[in-house]
Amino acid sequence: MAEETNLQTTNGRKVGIGAYIALFVAILFFSGIFMKVDGMKWISAFDFTSLSGTFGTMKDPAKNTFIGAGGVSAKAGFLFALSLVPTVMLALGCLEIFSHYGAIRAAHKLLTPFLKPLLGLPGLTGLALITDLQSTDAGAALTKNLYDDKQITKKELVVMSAWQYSGAGMINNYFAIGSALFAVLTAPVIIPLLLMFVLKFVGAMFVRFVLNTVYKEDFRDEQ
Amino acid sequence: MSNDTKTTTPSNPFDIFVIGARKGFNVAINNLMPNVLMAYVIAEILQLIGAMEFIGRLFGPLMGFFGLPGEAATVLLTAWLSSSAGTGIAVSLLNKGILNGTHAAILIPAIFLIGSQLQYMGRLLGVADVPKKYWPLLMLASIINACIAMIVMRFIA
């Protein structure tokens, strides 16, 4: 009885009907009864063993890596993700070196002349924008600082954020995550990266245009 | 993606590389692997319950405009939630033979241009304190960017 009372209020939360449904579903999920139901293959989507999947096999040892071929679901996903670790470590290791030797500062300098004519932003915003290419969080923090220090207006803040929001953390994300697709791309790896960089301007220019027209009234005091 | 701010950076390039490689390892283990695993499982569930085929038919005409099969819509929808998961779905569809290298090239800039917008609402728009009124506009700009990217890549890839 004491144990039952304890169960009823586990972690100080009442055990309601939802909890019993969750338990029931969990039992069904792990039980294996949905694994193979004749004529209802789709029901195996609710079975733990089916979803843990299978590793690939060495169908063609000359071509297959340790991932094998024909694996599915969690097991295949795990091995595939594991195969990406060296690429990601190499990419971020090299990026760290380039940044250390001033690649970011150089990029800032190159970007500054384009800010005013294209986005109507002062040159001092360049660093926050370039930082966003590497780290979304750091870029956002720098942008907020500029506004708090009254170095940029609300409209400039929105335009800057538009530039950052589409393709945020672009360089890091592209090399860390996108590298999963590099091997199969039918275009040079640099092309999508350059395209994204250009489109960041396109998106921000679009937002600037809308702010200057549709939301013109909002920024009247800032003109 | 969270990058630790540097405190004391060594000047030896080998040590600097190791710092970056360590960040890469953390990204791979903490972000990439769980997300890719989840994406593979979601792709499998969608495949098993037949949703993949349904999404393929539903988005077929729209995706066809970008030179992609309809199933590619699952990549874009997932990428909106998380770039890693979107990439994972793309890889899983490549392995199943639904996508090929050209499709991947068309999709890759779009994945990152609309990537992780849900997360970045908090991490970027929230942190920078952009008034909520303009959030949909910024999202629309990202979607437009992704569409332009796919059209351009269609001719390059």
Side-chain angles (χ1 to χ4, degrees):
Chain A
M1 189 64 198
E3 206 175 332
E4 194 181 307
T5 323
N6 199 17
L7 264 180
Q8 290 287 338
T9 57
T10 314
N11 298 331
R13 290 177 61 186
K14 267 200 130 177
V15 180
I17 182 75
Y20 290 105
I21 295 173
L23 176 65
F24 181 66
V25 173
I27 291 171
L28 288 180
F29 180 70
F30 288 108
S31 68
I33 56 171
F34 290 152
M35 208 161 102
K36 273 184 186 147
V37 181
D38 284 338
M40 293 170 79
K41 192 172 181 284
W42 60 269
I43 213 165
S44 62
F46 306 99
D47 176 67
F48 174 76
T49 315
S50 304
L51 290 185
S52 50
T54 52
F55 291 118
T57 51
M58 297 298 148
K59 289 190 169 67
D60 182 358
K63 280 188 191 162
N64 290 151
T65 63
F66 70 95
I67 303 169
V72 292
S73 206
K75 285 180 183 170
F78 180 83
L79 273 196
F80 172 72
L82 194 61
S83 76
L84 296 178
V85 177
T87 322
V88 175
M89 288 175 73
L90 176 64
L92 293 198
C94 294
L95 270 180
E96 192 76 19
I97 295 185
F98 297 138
S99 314
H100 179 80
Y101 288 107
I104 297 286
R105 289 195 299 277
H108 174 208
K109 193 147 192 181
L110 287 176
L111 179 71
T112 307
F114 295 103
L115 294 176
K116 195 78 196 171
L118 292 179
L119 306 177
L121 295 174
L124 61 95
T125 58
L127 192 62
L129 296 184
I130 286 290
T131 304
D132 165 77
L133 294 178
Q134 278 203 312
S135 163
T136 312
D137 305 294
L142 286 178
T143 307
K144 171 88 168 106
N145 278 345
L146 286 175
Y147 182 72
D148 287 347
D149 293 346
K150 298 193 168 44
Q151 295 188 307
I152 53 168
T153 63
K154 200 79 179 174
K155 185 161 87 180
E156 288 165 344
L157 173 89
V158 179
V159 174
M160 277 180 79
S161 301
W163 194 93
Q164 296 176 64
Y165 192 46
S166 185
M170 185 180 86
I171 292 182
N172 260 3
N173 282 341
Y174 186 66
F175 285 105
I177 301 162
S179 55
L181 296 168
F182 285 178
V184 298
L185 293 186
T186 52
V189 167
I190 193 81
I191 301 277
L193 191 69
L194 289 176
L195 181 62
M196 285 191 280
F197 186 69
V198 172
L199 286 172
K200 271 173 158 298
F201 283 92
V202 175
M205 284 158 73
F206 166 73
V207 168
R208 183 191 178 200
F209 174 75
V210 176
L211 293 183
N212 283 338
T213 51
V214 182
Y215 295 110
K216 200 174 171 186
E217 290 301 306
D218 293 10
F219 304 102
R220 182 179 281 186
D221 300 340
E222 290 179 358
Q223 302 303 330
Chain B
M1 183 163 307
S2 64
N3 277 352
D4 299 330
T5 40
K6 295 172 206 108
T7 41
T8 48
T9 319
S11 51
N12 176 344
F14 301 105
D15 291 343
I16 298 165
F17 177 85
V18 170
I19 290 173
R22 198 174 286 136
K23 282 183 190 167
F25 186 72
N26 285 332
V27 169
I29 300 300
N30 294 319
N31 301 52
L32 200 61
M33 287 184 76
N35 275 302
V36 168
L37 192 147
M38 182 189 69
Y40 264 65
V41 174
I42 291 174
E44 183 67 9
I45 293 175
L46 293 177
Q47 187 88 17
L48 284 171
I49 62 175
M52 202 67 105
E53 210 190 315
F54 175 74
I55 291 172
R57 257 181 295 155
L58 190 68
F59 288 95
L62 181 65
M63 290 291 113
F65 181 70
F66 301 115
L68 295 166
E71 289 89 339
T74 51
V75 175
L76 296 174
L77 293 174
T78 322
W80 194 76
L81 304 173
S82 149
S83 310
S84 315
T87 310
I89 298 268
V91 174
S92 142
L93 292 182
L94 273 162
N95 289 344
K96 287 183 201 289
I98 296 172
L99 296 182
N100 61 31
T102 310
H103 299 144
I106 295 173
L107 280 168
I108 198 169
I111 289 176
F112 294 100
L113 286 169
I114 55 166
S116 310
Q117 299 227 308
L118 198 69
Q119 269 188 50
Y120 291 151
M121 275 187 214
R123 283 173 55 189
L124 200 166
L125 304 185
V127 171
D129 219 2
V130 176
K132 287 210 171 57
K133 182 180 179 182
Y134 307 112
W135 289 18
L137 173 65
L138 268 53
M139 240 168 247
L140 176 69
S142 302
I143 295 170
I144 294 174
N145 274 350
C147 292
I148 299 174
M150 288 191 287
I151 293 169
V152 174
M153 286 309 290
R154 192 182 172 177
F155 294 102
I156 297 176

